[in-house]
């Protein structure tokens, strides 16, 4: 690309690569070495940002054949790295970082965040990417015939069972109280895809499975949020977890799935969703509730969003929570870590129905029955259109892509997840 910024960007990116090759491993660098590399990275990132502000649509068209090809975010950043190595980290650079603890990584995901912020901020490229992310995954399409035949899917972290026209999704990572990682995101998107694609399913239900953890043995737990142990180990990725989660299965819960089987009068296949919370919904678990049509909770359950305390951004909760609670409570929950117990009045802004723990099954059945009506889907579509306009979501996710990438490598985050991992090892 013959523009003035491009040669300077290539030179700056090459300088970063030279320093990384010449310096010791990240955990062994002296303060002055770290400072020199940080300055070089900052210079390249400033030029990368300037270039993309002007040329992102041209870059996106080059990578997607003018929009004729739909590339999911992982495919898109890989294609960008292959075609324009100065714009995104290469496969080799990412492979070198893989397996390192979060504290010892080079921070290449920040460069992915810069690239994806520019793409999502573009009305044309961003809309095309969001549309692509609403399409079913290859894994789901491969599993669909067998699921339609049997009505059952078992994955490492999610079980799906179709009964009487309802898809029951159960999160079953009892080793970590349903804390989320890359594997869980992949399994959840597969499960949501199957529920939306299966013509025999009219309503979806999400619950936590029964735990074997000594403290919660025999009890259902909805979700403990992000897996901090995996984050410390460097196994929580910006693209494969944090962005795929929001643009993939969570957005599909809101908008439905893009498929050739969608009716002529709708762009997607949508279905209503019920969530049932037992014990707690922490972090990402609480974020999930914001996209469901009906939320049930046991009277002894609680919700919390401790992301600010952990040092990260709680997904799209900053975008959605205030719509439910108003701005003051949203700030209390997100910025100050306020915990909402299901039985308190403010929690009813997020929970439709609170019942005694032994009554959850019956309450789920009643909610499913209410959401089977033929007018439910068109009305939920209109509600979501009014409450969460897709362009506003796109702009939020553009900024989230970069801010969350920066937070992943914040010194406070690295320190906190390190302390968490040490406590977990000591137990």
């Amino acid at each position: 690309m013959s523009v003035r910024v491009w040669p300077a960007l290539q030179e700056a990116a090459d300088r970063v690569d030279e320093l990384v090759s010449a310096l010791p491993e990240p955990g062994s660098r002296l303060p002055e070495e770290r400072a020199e590399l940080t300055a070089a990275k900052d210079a390249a990132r400033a030029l990368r940002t300037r270039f993309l502000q002007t040329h992102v649509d041209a870059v996106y068209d080059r990578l997607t054949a003018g929009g004729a090809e739909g590339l999911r975010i992982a495919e898109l950043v890989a294609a960008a790295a292959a075609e324009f190595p100065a714009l995104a980290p290469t496969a080799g650079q990412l492979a070198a970082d893989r397996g390192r603890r979060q504290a010892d990584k080079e921070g290449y995901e920040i460069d992915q965040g810069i690239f994806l912020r520019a793409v999502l901020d573009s009305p044309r490229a961003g809309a095309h990417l969001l549309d692509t992310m609403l399409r079913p995954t290859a894994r789901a399409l491969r599993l669909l015939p067998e699921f339609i035949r049997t009505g059952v899917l078992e994955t490492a972290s999610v079980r799906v069972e179709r009964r009487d026209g309802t898809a029951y999704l159960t999160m079953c990572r009892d080793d970590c109280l349903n804390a989320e990682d890359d594997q869980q995101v992949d399994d959840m998107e597969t499960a949501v895809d199957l529920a939306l694609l299966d013509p025999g399913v009219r309503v979806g239900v999400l619950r936590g499975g029964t735990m074997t953890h000594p403290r919660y043995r025999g009890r259902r737990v909805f979700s403990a949020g992000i897996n901090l142990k995996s984050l410390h180990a460097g196994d929580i990725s910006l693209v494969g977890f944090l962005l795929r989660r929001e643009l993939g299965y969570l957005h599909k819960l809101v908008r439905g799935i893009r498929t050739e089987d969608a009716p002529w009068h709708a762009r997607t296949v949508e279905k209503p969703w019920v969530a049932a919370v037992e014990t707690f919904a922490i972090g990402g678990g609480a974020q999930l509730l914001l996209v469901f049509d009906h939320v049930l909770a046991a009277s002894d359950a609680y919700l919390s969003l401790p992301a600010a305390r952990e040092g990260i951004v709680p997904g799209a909760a900053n975008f959605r929570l205030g719509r439910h609670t108003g701005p003051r409570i949203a700030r209390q929950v997100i910025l100050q870590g306020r915990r909402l117990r299901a039985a308190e009045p403010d929690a009813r802004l997020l929970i439709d129905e609170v019942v005694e723990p032994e009554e959850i099954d019956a309450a789920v059945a009643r909610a499913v029955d209410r959401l089977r009506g033929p007018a439910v889907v068109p009305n939920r579509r209109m509600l979501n259109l009014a409450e969460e306009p897709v362009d506003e979501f796109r702009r939020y996710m553009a900024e989230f892509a970069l801010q969350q990438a920066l937070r992943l490598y914040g010194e406070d985050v690295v320190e906190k997840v390190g302390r968490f991992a040490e406590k977990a090892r000591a137990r």
Side-chain angles (χ1 to χ4, degrees):
M1 288 194 170
S2 56
V3 293
R4 285 179 294 176
V5 177
W6 184 248
L9 171 56
Q10 288 182 308
E11 183 179 343
D14 288 343
R15 174 59 179 159
V16 171
D17 292 345
E18 291 168 5
L19 284 172
V20 168
S21 297
L23 293 174
E25 288 291 299
S28 303
R29 289 170 189 159
L30 299 173
E32 57 269 27
E33 292 172 329
R34 290 197 297 270
E36 182 182 16
L37 181 56
T38 296
K41 287 178 178 178
D42 286 347
R45 285 165 179 165
L47 289 166
R48 188 172 292 118
T49 300
R50 282 180 56 196
F51 178 83
L52 287 167
Q53 284 172 343
T54 303
H55 300 286
V56 66
D57 281 339
V59 169
Y60 191 81
D61 282 348
R62 177 87 162 263
L63 299 177
T64 63
E69 297 179 12
L71 299 179
R72 288 173 63 85
I73 48 174
E75 298 167 330
L76 182 67
V77 293
E83 188 75 18
F84 306 105
L87 287 184
T90 65
Q93 289 171 325
L94 293 172
D97 250 6
R98 197 172 299 119
R100 288 174 173 163
R101 298 181 311 149
Q102 194 68 17
D104 296 332
K105 294 193 175 196
E106 293 289 357
Y108 291 122
E109 289 173 301
I110 294 172
D111 302 295
Q112 291 181 323
I114 292 169
F115 175 71
L116 289 169
R117 178 177 69 167
V119 170
L120 287 164
D121 201 43
S122 161
R124 185 159 64 87
H128 187 269
L129 178 57
L130 287 185
D131 192 66
T132 299
M133 291 298 293
L134 288 179
R135 297 185 181 278
T137 65
R139 182 187 182 196
L141 291 173
R142 186 176 71 252
L143 294 171
L144 181 61
E146 181 69 8
F147 180 72
I148 289 176
R149 186 181 71 82
T150 65
V152 177
L153 172 72
E154 295 273 6
T155 71
S157 53
V158 183
R159 173 183 170 83
V160 191
E161 185 178 1
R162 183 187 64 240
R163 300 196 307 270
D164 300 324
T166 299
Y168 293 89
L169 282 60
T170 304
M171 296 179 286
C172 51
R173 285 289 301 278
D174 63 347
D175 61 313
C176 58
L177 301 177
N178 286 328
E180 291 185 287
D181 55 18
D182 284 29
Q183 179 65 58
Q184 180 130 344
V185 167
D186 187 38
D187 290 345
M188 278 294 295
E189 184 164 14
T190 301
V192 169
D193 280 0
L194 292 176
L196 290 168
L197 290 167
D198 184 351
V201 170
R202 295 173 62 189
V203 181
V205 174
L206 180 65
R207 295 177 76 172
T210 303
M211 299 290 108
T212 58
H213 186 287
R215 188 172 176 183
Y216 301 100
R217 191 181 304 278
R219 298 176 61 186
R220 286 181 180 262
V221 168
F222 191 74
S223 174
I226 192 171
N227 191 317
L228 295 177
K229 184 177 179 181
S230 294
L231 178 55
H232 168 72
D235 294 332
I236 295 292
S237 62
L238 176 70
V239 169
F241 178 93
L242 294 160
L243 288 172
R244 178 181 175 181
R245 181 178 184 272
E246 300 296 335
L247 302 180
Y249 83 87
L250 264 72
H251 199 211
K252 287 172 178 175
L253 290 170
V254 177
R255 303 285 175 190
I257 198 166
R258 290 279 280 144
T259 170
E260 301 303 320
D261 295 328
W264 65 266
H265 52 80
R267 290 170 53 83
T268 60
V269 172
E270 292 185 44
K271 292 170 187 179
W273 290 89
V274 176
V277 179
E278 291 145 291
T279 311
F280 51 71
I282 297 173
Q287 295 167 31
L288 267 170
L289 305 182
L290 303 177
V291 301
F292 277 76
D293 300 294
H294 190 82
V295 177
L296 292 154
S299 58
D300 58 353
Y302 69 87
L303 320 176
S304 68
L305 282 166
R309 189 175 73 236
E310 294 161 354
I312 58 177
V313 180
N318 307 59
F319 176 67
R320 294 180 173 125
L321 183 62
R323 186 184 77 207
H324 293 269
T325 65
R328 300 319 316 164
I329 293 176
R331 280 167 170 75
Q332 292 164 18
V333 171
I334 292 174
L335 302 182
Q336 301 175 50
R338 178 183 173 186
R339 179 180 290 185
L340 293 175
R341 299 198 172 276
E344 67 179 282
D346 284 347
R348 296 305 298 271
L349 298 169
L350 295 169
I351 300 168
D352 298 287
E353 194 175 351
V354 178
V355 300
E356 293 307 308
E358 64 273 13
E359 297 173 7
I360 285 279
D361 289 347
V364 167
R366 291 193 300 269
V368 166
D369 189 58
R370 288 194 298 268
L371 291 175
R372 288 179 182 272
V376 168
V377 169
N379 275 288
R380 85 182 292 274
R381 180 177 294 129
M382 300 309 292
L383 285 166
N384 287 331
L385 182 65
E387 294 172 351
E388 191 171 305
V390 68
D391 272 349
E392 291 184 17
F393 175 71
R394 173 184 57 76
R395 286 192 292 269
Y396 175 89
M397 290 308 302
E399 192 61 25
F400 173 81
L402 179 56
Q403 295 305 321
Q404 191 71 303
L406 292 169
R407 287 282 74 219
L408 279 180
Y409 294 92
E411 290 184 10
D412 57 316
V413 173
V414 170
E415 181 183 343
K416 287 170 184 173
V417 298
R419 289 200 304 266
F420 176 87
E422 287 176 8
K423 287 180 182 177
R425 284 194 297 267
R427 289 177 189 144

